Amino acid sequence: WHRASVSGARLGVAEATALASAVLRAANFDVILIETVGAGQSDIRIADMSDIVVLALQPGSGDSVQAIKAGVMEIPDIVALTKSDLPGVDMFRSELRLALSIDPDNAPRLVEVSAPNRTGVDELWTAVVSCREALGVAAIEARRQGGLEREAVAAAATRAGARAQHAMDQNPVIQAALAQLHAGTLD
């Protein structure tokens, strides 16, 4: 087991996370857990670099509404209802099933976890293993390959944008052209 933490992310996943994951895979780690600060509409990249995505939500936090608004419900294979020992869990579970269209027989599977009660961790791991087996090696490899390609394109675009910004900030020819554009003497 290895837990990698890569800082510097403005959104849910730092750019270096995919690279760190690739290094850990190359080092033959069987299980790599990637914990994000959360994912939103513009940053669901975690699905591109993970075999299985577990979305953790807790009752009383407004997580279900936030998850729906953020557009992340397309990505989890499993939804972990954490802190399932808290009051209001029954309503929260119903809310999740209804709002997120969680069918007990289909993905994403809902697993309840409670640390104080020491329940659900084994069930969560069983769900991860089961989900991985159901997907199969070919589907997981296709998911990884598509993710690697999207990450490579995103990284190249980010670097190209940074180079363009640097050129705009530093190149006197571009600075002069921008000044003319701003003055209205160049279109």
Side-chain angles (χ1 to χ4, degrees):
W1 292 84
H2 186 279
R3 183 172 183 233
S5 175
V6 182
S7 62
R10 285 186 321 225
L11 298 169
V13 181
E15 182 180 325
T17 302
L19 297 173
S21 178
V23 168
L24 293 172
R25 283 184 201 283
N28 293 320
F29 280 89
D30 294 331
V31 177
I32 302 165
L33 300 177
I34 302 171
E35 181 180 9
T36 70
V37 295
Q41 283 175 302
S42 62
D43 195 26
I44 56 173
R45 294 181 351 215
I46 191 63
D48 286 340
M49 61 184 73
S50 303
D51 294 356
I52 304 298
V53 176
V54 177
L55 176 63
L57 302 173
Q58 64 184 16
S61 65
D63 279 348
S64 63
V65 174
Q66 281 302 104
I68 295 164
K69 287 181 181 177
V72 296
M73 290 320 300
E74 303 83 40
I75 67 169
D77 299 294
I78 301 165
V79 175
L81 195 163
T82 64
K83 301 183 181 184
S84 64
D85 53 294
L86 292 178
V89 73
D90 293 333
M91 183 174 11
F92 187 68
R93 182 187 317 106
S94 297
E95 224 176 71
L96 281 174
R97 288 192 188 282
L98 178 65
L100 309 177
S101 301
I102 294 177
D103 178 346
D105 298 324
N106 297 308
R109 183 170 169 201
L110 181 64
V111 179
E112 297 183 24
V113 181
S114 169
N117 294 341
R118 299 179 186 253
T119 58
V121 174
D122 290 339
E123 291 82 0
L124 180 58
W125 182 248
T126 299
V128 168
V129 171
S130 174
C131 186
R132 194 171 195 286
E133 288 172 357
L135 281 172
V137 174
I140 287 173
E141 287 301 321
R143 188 185 269 192
R144 282 186 197 163
Q145 186 61 38
L148 287 172
E149 290 169 3
R150 282 185 288 280
E151 282 298 313
V153 168
T158 298
R159 289 185 179 100
R163 283 193 301 274
Q165 185 63 52
H166 179 73
M168 288 174 62
D169 293 342
Q170 304 297 320
N171 188 313
V173 173
I174 294 176
Q175 289 293 313
L178 288 171
Q180 288 177 327
L181 181 66
H182 184 66
T185 59
L186 180 68
D187 63 15

